[in-house]
Amino acid sequence: MAEHSVTVENTLQTLLTDKKYSTIRDILVTMNPADIAAVFAGVESDKLPLLFRLLPKELAAESFVEMESEEQESLIKGISDKELRQVMDELYVDDAVDIVEEMPANVVQRILAQADPEMRKEINEILQYPEDSAGSVMTTEYVKLTPDMTVGDAILRIRRTGVDKETIYTCYVLQNRLLVGTVSVKSLLLAPSDLQTIDSIMESNLITVTTHTDQEEVARMMSKYNLLAIPVVDGDNRMVGIVTFDDAMDVVEEETTEDMEIMAGMTPSDKTYLRSSPFDLFLHRIPWLSLLMISATFTGMIISNFEKALAAMTCLAAFIPMLMDTGGNSGSQSSVTVIRALSLGELEFSDLGKVIWKEIRTALICGACLSVLCFAKVMLVDRLIMGNDEVSIMVAVVVGLTLAVTVLCAKLVGCTLPMLAKKLGFDPAVMASPFITTIVDALSLLVYFGIATALLKL
């Protein structure tokens, strides 16, 4: 797809130079809005308004929604108020809200000035909801029906008003603004009679969310119940909007990206990688790097406290990296598994006992297996192949036993910290690989030197 965009972009550049605008239009109208936005991303900002004006009004608005905020801002500055008004007239409310949230204040003022009063009112209402809530990602454009309406009247209303709605597949049955049911277009079309009333075919077993429900929970519910849209109600069960499937997909992508960045030890960024400058990346990475570097001081302090033990048997130092790495990897496996289960709603804090018991059993099996392999490796490689006479059977026992205990400790830390973080209201992803690895490194050293001191009489 990237290669295709580059090819189209080069073709458009050539056609622009030759001023063959009709040919450019013929190419663009055959493309998907998302593909047009991808091509526009590589076009010089001063050429964007010209290309944008070649698009039919509806296609122009759809392509505008798909563009990155930087291109949107550049384009808004390059088009007239009349052109901006035409774009705003074609936008759905939730798309307009997304654009407003990304723009600087002076651009927002211009956007709102060109929006019609009704849209401006709806945008301002949605912006008042908490960030990352269902209210902040919903749209207020949906098909409304009443229980006493006939099937024929409902189909007629869809024909008259559906063109301005984001989705018409599911219609919402309201009585005095209260949501009492839903009915699909399929049910309407397959109804035995056009005179049948809506209340006789509507689905009254409703799945709803409130305006303050977390957007990630909304996306999870839509996935669980296979919904194309989910109604959003207020505290009195009055319907205020819907969250559509495409918005839920955007939420999933944003939340997954954020979790991956946090788990990798970075603060989340709103910019894509190619749009982030080296200084942007520095700002997002340096806080965690600094924290982890300082926290690693504890491992240095532990090693310093056991300098005499290391001096008495220097071969012990050779096994420290293996023990720390294995412990870190074991902890990361557990933490990632638990974090993912928490994000999918599979685990609650009340399941902590079950999780710990399962991880203990897993750790015992993994630890026993790794311990045997480690003992064989130490005796075969370190003693026989490398010829290190200082490596005795007792040293191999110490290393193998340490490995087993380290795996157990690492898995317990890896499974409990994310659940504790969730309970305290923090993002469980914070307790991922970098953070847990630092804790496990310190634990593995304490276990190693404790066992070595006891068994080797150091």
Side-chain angles (χ1 to χ4, degrees), residues 352-418:
L352 181 60
K354 297 177 182 177
V355 173
I356 290 176
W357 176 230
K358 179 170 289 188
E359 290 296 329
I360 287 176
R361 287 177 291 169
T362 304
L364 290 175
I365 298 171
C366 291
C369 181
L370 290 173
S371 182
V372 171
L373 290 175
C374 180
F375 181 86
K377 176 261 179 189
V378 172
M379 294 303 296
L380 179 63
V381 177
D382 295 87
R383 181 174 175 82
L384 296 179
I385 296 178
M386 299 181 64
N388 190 344
D389 295 332
E390 195 176 13
V391 177
S392 62
I393 292 179
M394 283 305 298
V395 169
V397 169
V398 167
V399 176
L401 185 58
T402 300
L403 194 63
V405 177
T406 296
V407 169
L408 176 61
C409 294
K411 290 197 175 293
L412 288 176
V413 170
C415 73
T416 54
L417 286 185

Side-chain angles (χ1 to χ4, degrees), residues 194-444:
D194 285 352
L195 298 179
Q196 197 169 358
T197 56
I198 296 300
D199 58 358
S200 65
I201 63 171
M202 71 181 186
E203 176 62 55
S204 57
N205 185 20
L206 303 174
I207 298 171
T208 63
V209 296
T210 67
T211 53
H212 286 68
T213 302
D214 186 86
Q215 62 177 10
E216 196 170 2
E217 176 64 22
V218 174
R220 186 158 46 241
M221 290 179 65
M222 293 183 69
S223 174
K224 178 180 180 180
Y225 297 109
N226 296 317
L227 300 175
L228 295 177
I230 190 168
V232 182
V233 298
D234 63 13
D236 298 320
N237 201 42
R238 292 176 298 192
M239 188 161 176
V240 293
I242 60 173
V243 177
T244 54
F245 182 77
D246 59 326
D247 292 320
M249 288 291 290
D250 291 339
V251 169
V252 171
E253 181 181 349
E254 291 171 7
E255 295 290 345
T256 302
T257 301
E258 181 179 309
D259 286 346
M260 289 178 66
E261 289 176 331
I262 294 175
M263 289 170 68
M266 296 185 291
T267 53
S269 172
D270 294 329
K271 295 182 179 179
T272 61
Y273 178 78
L274 292 178
R275 294 182 179 279
S276 300
S277 67
F279 189 70
D280 291 330
L281 297 176
F282 159 77
L283 291 177
H284 288 290
R285 296 177 183 180
I286 196 62
W288 274 100
L289 289 175
S290 301
L291 177 62
L292 294 172
M293 180 194 69
I294 294 172
S295 63
T297 304
F298 294 109
T299 58
M301 292 170 60
I302 294 171
I303 293 175
S304 297
N305 288 334
F306 288 95
E307 281 182 350
K308 292 182 178 179
L310 287 174
M313 189 166 287
T314 56
C315 68
L316 293 177
F319 303 109
I320 290 177
M322 179 190 68
L323 295 172
M324 292 173 65
D325 288 346
T326 304
N329 292 336
S330 298
S332 296
Q333 287 178 338
S334 297
S335 66
V336 170
T337 304
V338 170
I339 289 170
R340 185 58 181 163
L342 287 170
S343 68
L344 294 175
E346 298 174 358
L347 290 179
E348 299 292 340
F349 187 75
S350 57
D351 298 315
L352 181 60
K354 297 177 182 177
V355 173
I356 290 176
W357 176 230
K358 179 170 289 188
E359 290 296 329
I360 287 176
R361 287 177 291 169
T362 304
L364 290 175
I365 298 171
C366 291
C369 181
L370 290 173
S371 182
V372 171
L373 290 175
C374 180
F375 181 86
K377 176 261 179 189
V378 172
M379 294 303 296
L380 179 63
V381 177
D382 295 87
R383 181 174 175 82
L384 296 179
I385 296 178
M386 299 181 64
N388 190 344
D389 295 332
E390 195 176 13
V391 177
S392 62
I393 292 179
M394 283 305 298
V395 169
V397 169
V398 167
V399 176
L401 185 58
T402 300
L403 194 63
V405 177
T406 296
V407 169
L408 176 61
C409 294
K411 290 197 175 293
L412 288 176
V413 170
C415 73
T416 54
L417 286 185
M419 299 190 73
L420 289 173
K422 180 78 171 180
K423 180 66 175 179
L424 295 174
F426 297 106
D427 190 334
V430 173
M431 300 298 177
S433 300
F435 196 79
I436 286 178
T437 299
T438 302
I439 296 175
V440 171
D441 285 349
L443 287 175
S444 62

Side-chain angles (χ1 to χ4, degrees), residues 131-177:
E131 186 180 2
D132 297 337
S133 67
S136 69
V137 295
M138 72 180 183
T139 180
T140 55
E141 296 164 320
Y142 55 92
V143 178
K144 306 173 187 176
L145 304 177
T146 58
D148 57 349
M149 186 179 287
T150 65
V151 169
D153 290 338
I155 293 176
L156 184 60
R157 173 171 289 189
I158 293 172
R159 287 174 179 165
R160 289 176 175 173
T161 64
V163 67
D164 297 323
K165 309 305 179 184
E166 186 158 350
T167 179
I168 63 170
Y169 182 77
T170 302
C171 305
Y172 300 89
V173 186
L174 307 182
Q175 192 167 38
N176 299 324
R177 290 189 61 196

Side-chain angles (χ1 to χ4, degrees), residues 121-132:
K121 177 185 175 183
E122 291 175 346
I123 290 174
N124 288 326
E125 287 177 353
I126 292 176
L127 288 174
Q128 292 176 3
Y129 291 108
E131 186 180 2
D132 297 337

Side-chain angles (χ1 to χ4, degrees), residues 75-93:
L75 187 56
I76 290 173
K77 293 178 179 178
I79 60 178
S80 65
D81 287 344
K82 180 181 178 181
E83 291 170 321
L84 180 57
R85 190 178 305 115
Q86 290 176 342
V87 171
M88 295 301 298
D89 289 342
E90 294 293 327
L91 293 182
Y92 294 117
V93 174

